[in-house]
Amino acid sequence: MAEPTLTLSLRIENYYVDDGDEVVTDIRNITVPAPNTDDENADAYHDWAEAVIRPLTGTGRTAGHATYDAQVTACDDPAMLNRRFSFGY
Protein backbone atom coordinates (compact mmCIF):
# COMPACT_ATOMS: atom_id res chain seq x y z
CA MET A 1 0.00 0.00 0.00
CA ALA A 2 1.30 3.46 -0.91
CA GLU A 3 2.23 5.91 1.80
CA PRO A 4 -0.34 8.74 2.20
CA THR A 5 0.73 12.06 0.71
CA LEU A 6 -0.27 15.73 0.77
CA THR A 7 0.00 18.30 -1.97
CA LEU A 8 0.75 21.65 -0.42
CA SER A 9 2.16 25.12 -0.96
CA LEU A 10 4.34 26.95 1.55
CA ARG A 11 5.45 30.51 2.20
CA ILE A 12 8.85 30.35 3.85
CA GLU A 13 10.47 33.27 5.64
CA ASN A 14 14.19 32.71 6.14
CA TYR A 15 15.69 35.22 8.57
CA TYR A 16 19.45 35.44 8.98
CA VAL A 17 20.15 36.94 12.40
CA ASP A 18 23.81 37.91 11.90
CA ASP A 19 23.18 40.29 9.00
CA GLY A 20 19.43 40.95 9.39
CA ASP A 21 18.73 39.55 5.93
CA GLU A 22 15.29 38.10 5.24
CA VAL A 23 14.55 35.93 2.22
CA VAL A 24 10.96 34.94 1.45
CA THR A 25 10.34 31.93 -0.76
CA ASP A 26 7.08 30.47 -2.05
CA ILE A 27 6.96 26.77 -2.87
CA ARG A 28 3.88 25.71 -4.76
CA ASN A 29 2.11 22.41 -5.20
CA ILE A 30 4.67 19.94 -3.93
CA THR A 31 3.75 16.44 -2.89
CA VAL A 32 5.14 15.28 0.45
CA PRO A 33 4.50 12.35 2.79
CA ALA A 34 1.51 13.06 5.08
CA PRO A 35 2.04 13.24 8.84
CA ASN A 36 0.79 10.17 10.67
CA THR A 37 -1.05 12.36 13.19
CA ASP A 38 -2.90 15.68 13.16
CA ASP A 39 -1.96 16.30 16.79
CA GLU A 40 0.37 19.32 16.61
CA ASN A 41 1.67 18.49 20.10
CA ALA A 42 2.67 14.91 19.34
CA ASP A 43 6.33 13.95 19.01
CA ALA A 44 5.53 12.15 15.74
CA TYR A 45 4.13 15.40 14.29
CA HIS A 46 7.28 17.32 15.24
CA ASP A 47 9.45 14.54 13.81
CA TRP A 48 7.47 14.73 10.55
CA ALA A 49 7.91 18.53 10.37
CA GLU A 50 11.67 18.17 10.94
CA ALA A 51 11.98 15.49 8.27
CA VAL A 52 9.62 16.94 5.65
CA ILE A 53 9.18 20.70 6.11
CA ARG A 54 12.51 21.84 7.54
CA PRO A 55 14.58 20.65 4.53
CA LEU A 56 12.52 23.00 2.35
CA THR A 57 13.69 26.04 4.35
CA GLY A 58 16.92 27.99 4.07
CA THR A 59 18.86 29.36 1.15
CA GLY A 60 22.02 27.30 1.35
CA ARG A 61 23.92 29.41 3.87
CA THR A 62 26.06 27.26 6.11
CA ALA A 63 27.23 29.74 8.75
CA GLY A 64 25.53 32.07 11.19
CA HIS A 65 22.31 32.03 13.13
CA ALA A 66 18.98 31.76 11.35
CA THR A 67 15.30 31.19 11.91
CA TYR A 68 12.87 29.71 9.43
CA ASP A 69 9.10 30.04 9.44
CA ALA A 70 6.96 28.07 7.01
CA GLN A 71 3.22 28.55 6.60
CA VAL A 72 0.96 26.24 4.61
CA THR A 73 -0.80 28.50 2.08
CA ALA A 74 -2.65 25.77 0.17
CA CYS A 75 -3.23 22.07 0.76
CA ASP A 76 -5.48 19.26 -0.38
CA ASP A 77 -6.07 18.55 3.34
CA PRO A 78 -8.03 21.55 4.69
CA ALA A 79 -6.87 20.78 8.25
CA MET A 80 -3.30 21.71 7.24
CA LEU A 81 -4.19 25.12 5.77
CA ASN A 82 -2.45 28.01 7.56
CA ARG A 83 -0.43 25.73 9.84
CA ARG A 84 2.92 27.26 10.80
CA PHE A 85 6.23 25.58 11.40
CA SER A 86 9.18 27.34 13.01
CA PHE A 87 12.77 26.18 13.02
CA GLY A 88 16.00 27.85 13.91
CA TYR A 89 18.89 28.30 16.16
Side-chain angles (χ1 to χ4, degrees):
M1 182 154 88
E3 181 178 333
T5 61
L6 295 173
T7 300
L8 54 80
S9 298
L10 297 167
R11 180 166 190 85
I12 300 171
E13 298 174 4
N14 305 285
Y15 181 71
Y16 298 94
V17 178
D18 295 338
D19 61 11
D21 193 19
E22 182 175 26
V23 178
V24 177
T25 305
D26 290 306
I27 298 174
R28 299 186 191 281
N29 299 321
I30 61 169
T31 301
V32 299
N36 60 5
T37 179
D38 287 335
D39 181 357
E40 294 180 57
N41 297 313
D43 287 343
Y45 186 81
H46 292 283
D47 292 346
W48 170 83
E50 281 288 330
V52 174
I53 303 297
R54 185 178 181 134
L56 301 171
T57 67
T59 61
R61 296 183 191 192
T62 59
H65 299 285
T67 60
Y68 312 105
D69 293 309
Q71 180 178 4
V72 178
T73 57
C75 187
D76 55 2
D77 177 357
M80 292 294 290
L81 190 60
N82 294 317
R83 289 213 182 171
R84 288 188 159 283
F85 304 91
S86 295
F87 311 98
Y89 51 95

